[in-house]
Amino acid sequence: MTPAVLICDDSNLARKQLARILPQQWQAAIQFAGHGADALATLKKQPIDWLFLDLNMPVMDGYQVLAELQKLQLPLQIVVVSGDIQPEAHQRVMAMGARAFLKKPVDPQQLAALLQSEVAPASERSKVVTPPWASDLQQLDPQLRDVFQEITNVAMGQAGDLLARLLQVFVKLPIPNVNLIEVSELTMALASIAPDSQTSGICQGFIGSGIAGEALLILTDSSFSDIARLLNYQGELTTAVELELLMDIANILIGAVLKGIAQQLDISFSQGHPVVLGQHAPVSELIKANAKRWRKTLTIELSYGIEGFDIHCDLLLLFTEDSLKTFRYKLAFLLDDAE
């Protein structure tokens, strides 16, 4: 008997990629949900045998779905599929009833072993056809934005895992915010991060394989005392010490996110020396001197937090407009593979 399968993920790309490597005989019984509330509505209406559940989603996230399913006690197998690979994330979902935890992107062999069924080989890939959005990117096509978000979701999960292991904490991961914006809009977007807070910032350039840009890391000043405590720093929090802590966090997050993106696109990045944008100033002051370098830019914003601590960190990746051509072709392959 063919099992009924529900894949719940806010990324269309992720849903397609996972469905594609499920057993061939399951294909006709696969359904999709774009967020947790959508999945619960389906689960309450009809019997589902296997639920593949993302964690980081709008409306209702995976943790909330697991909590509701604990109450409902439905007879189904739950497999969490997430880019959040922190050890505590794994422990939490298993304690909430998940049968297994698979990291994104899913390894077909691991999935096959879990299902105890041989995954059918991928069908012969057709020639990549340039998608309709490739010739004109005045604004981001929803399909392209979805692909960017999913790639970033996986990369930021790797960065969050490194930070969690270093600080022995649980890192709250955001839903990536992806936009193609003008520099004037960028200035407003950055200024809205912490409008009433003093902040410190680092900027680091990167380039590789036709893609270039800058990573900006903005940390609220109120975060430094908790970061110092987590790193077991006992001395006085001088400006020099805060700068060292800022550099440490920037090295972890920027390096890990860029590495995660590069691996998925099969490219490599070279990173420049980090530059201090400023310390103890409003975000608008930090970016004023740099705004003239940016025109239209593809911007990916990630807002990290740490559970139980007053630590707030924003990482923005600003890709040059010239990088979009390379992105188009790299992402076209990903979309083609997901068909």
Side-chain angles (χ1 to χ4, degrees), residues 113-159:
L114 172 65
L115 302 179
Q116 297 181 342
S117 173
E118 185 176 352
V119 176
S123 59
E124 184 179 354
R125 297 177 181 178
S126 60
K127 183 179 179 181
V128 174
V129 178
T130 303
W133 38 261
S135 60
D136 185 9
L137 262 177
Q138 292 302 311
Q139 58 183 2
L140 278 180
D141 180 277
Q143 186 181 36
L144 180 57
R145 178 180 282 107
D146 177 78
V147 177
F148 272 119
Q149 285 183 327
E150 182 58 21
I151 288 174
T152 308
N153 182 50
V154 172
M156 76 177 184
Q158 296 172 2

Side-chain angles (χ1 to χ4, degrees), residues 231-308:
L231 292 174
N232 297 315
Y233 182 80
Q234 303 297 327
E236 181 184 357
L237 274 181
T238 64
T239 300
V241 170
E242 290 178 342
L243 179 58
E244 183 178 345
L245 294 174
L246 180 64
M247 286 287 190
D248 288 342
I249 298 300
N251 285 336
I252 294 168
L253 292 181
I254 295 174
V257 169
L258 289 178
K259 180 181 178 181
I261 292 174
Q263 287 176 337
Q264 294 175 81
L265 296 179
D266 193 26
I267 61 176
S268 61
F269 287 125
S270 296
Q271 295 175 227
H273 293 292
V275 176
V276 180
L277 294 176
Q279 290 180 266
H280 314 304
V283 173
S284 57
E285 293 297 322
L286 297 185
I287 64 175
K288 184 181 296 183
N290 300 275
K292 61 185 178 183
R293 297 208 308 269
W294 304 318
R295 296 184 296 277
K296 180 175 288 186
T297 178
L298 174 68
T299 304
I300 300 176
E301 180 186 350
L302 308 172
S303 298
Y304 288 89
I306 294 181
E307 188 174 86

